[in-house]
Amino acid sequence: MFKKILASVGIGAAKVDTVLHTEHLLPGQDFSGEILIKGGDVEQDISGIDLALMTKVKVETEDDGVEYHNFCIDNWHISDSFKLQPGEERALPFNATLPSETPITELPTSNNKCVVWLQTGLNIDMAIDASDKDSLYIYPNDVVKAFISAMDEFGYKMAKADVEKGYLNAGSFNSNSGCYQELEYRPGGFTLFGIKEVELSFVPEQHQTHVLIELDRAFSGDGYKAMTIPHHPDEVAAVESRLRDLLG
């Protein structure tokens, strides 16, 4: 009985470890791995195993401050209930697909608030959930890379990157995940139309990427431009000229 009580508060209980075949991924990419479970000192009833894709989102507080909260982008149910014997080891393979709107983490800025991780939980009856966290490294697709390269070419530096809670509504497209990423750029010097800041947000899909561009101009305030770039080499190559026309 004493061991069961200890197990119910996480002492001597089951342990879980998720092993991914790769942690380096693109939004929308398939990934796979296995969940390794090892029983503790006593028999335990596992009511299920779940895998959650997590990020941190920026939330504005009532006093105009900012907080960062954990946010679940997607989740997968890996296993139904089973009984785990003392010291028993199990390996559960899985396959899943990252949502296309998964935030990018690998970005050229020192002020990068974007993080993504997988969290694995054992739903142990009458126990504190055993959990395991695994960081993911999410890279931009070709369209996003083309925008980042063009902004650098035009002398704009990425000042900050973070993930906002909420939805983008650009009229011609919408985001769906409940959070969206903002890449904030500032010019390295004088700009023709007094641009003080540019924010880029992307909503990737399988064959195209939507882009919402917010321009903060010194003389006319904020303005928005939405565009959709098909995932075709010619369209990706034209990103620089389209962005040049917009920025002047």
Side-chain angles (χ1 to χ4, degrees):
M1 175 61 75
F2 182 63
K3 284 188 176 180
K4 288 187 178 181
I5 292 173
L6 289 178
S8 72
V9 295
I11 301 172
K15 295 181 180 179
V16 59
D17 183 30
T18 299
V19 179
L20 299 172
H21 294 152
T22 180
E23 300 89 6
H24 301 268
L25 299 163
L26 292 168
Q29 184 176 341
D30 295 336
F31 67 101
S32 60
E34 58 181 1
I35 297 174
L36 307 178
I37 309 158
K38 184 173 182 179
D41 295 334
V42 298
E43 179 185 277
Q44 287 182 280
D45 291 319
I46 311 296
S47 60
I49 299 177
D50 295 286
L51 192 64
L53 181 69
M54 305 292 296
T55 189
K56 284 191 178 292
V57 295
K58 185 172 77 173
V59 178
E60 295 183 0
T61 61
E62 293 181 358
D63 58 357
D64 296 326
V66 170
E67 295 178 348
Y68 286 88
H69 297 172
N70 290 350
F71 182 85
C72 180
I73 304 170
D74 203 352
N75 63 84
W76 301 270
H77 184 63
I78 305 299
S79 172
D80 291 331
S81 61
F82 60 91
K83 195 176 292 290
L84 190 67
Q85 299 300 320
E88 180 184 356
E89 295 183 2
R90 292 196 184 198
L92 301 176
F94 66 86
N95 295 278
T97 303
L98 280 184
S100 61
E101 294 181 27
T102 301
I104 300 159
T105 64
E106 305 310 289
L107 294 165
T109 176
S110 59
N111 191 7
N112 185 359
K113 304 294 187 181
C114 305
V115 293
V116 175
W117 71 95
L118 285 172
Q119 186 159 327
T120 311
L122 297 181
N123 299 321
I124 301 172
D125 287 345
M126 299 178 64
I128 298 172
D129 281 358
S131 62
D132 175 54
K133 294 182 179 181
D134 296 272
S135 296
L136 295 180
Y137 306 92
I138 310 299
Y139 295 84
N141 66 20
D142 288 342
V143 170
V144 178
K145 284 194 292 187
F147 273 89
I148 292 174
S149 176
M151 292 297 288
D152 185 63
E153 179 70 21
F154 300 150
Y156 287 80
K157 300 301 179 184
M158 192 183 299
K160 184 176 68 173
D162 58 24
V163 181
E164 303 266 355
K165 185 177 182 180
Y167 296 88
L168 284 179
N169 185 352
S172 57
F173 64 86
N174 300 296
S175 65
N176 299 293
S177 68
C179 66
Y180 60 92
Q181 190 166 30
E182 282 190 347
L183 309 184
E184 181 181 307
Y185 283 87
R186 291 177 187 159
F190 172 79
T191 58
L192 183 61
F193 296 110
I195 296 176
K196 298 190 299 180
E197 187 176 279
V198 179
E199 290 184 352
L200 304 179
S201 294
F202 301 93
V203 181
E205 297 178 350
Q206 184 176 2
H207 301 297
Q208 59 189 7
T209 294
H210 305 293
V211 189
L212 182 64
I213 304 170
E214 180 181 352
L215 301 174
D216 181 5
R217 302 181 189 270
F219 309 110
S220 57
D222 292 351
Y224 295 87
K225 175 69 175 179
M227 61 179 70
T228 296
I229 311 296
H231 294 173
H232 185 279
D234 292 343
E235 296 287 347
V236 175
V239 163
E240 183 173 324
S241 62
R242 294 183 67 174
L243 196 54
R244 181 185 291 110
D245 292 342
L246 182 65
L247 298 177

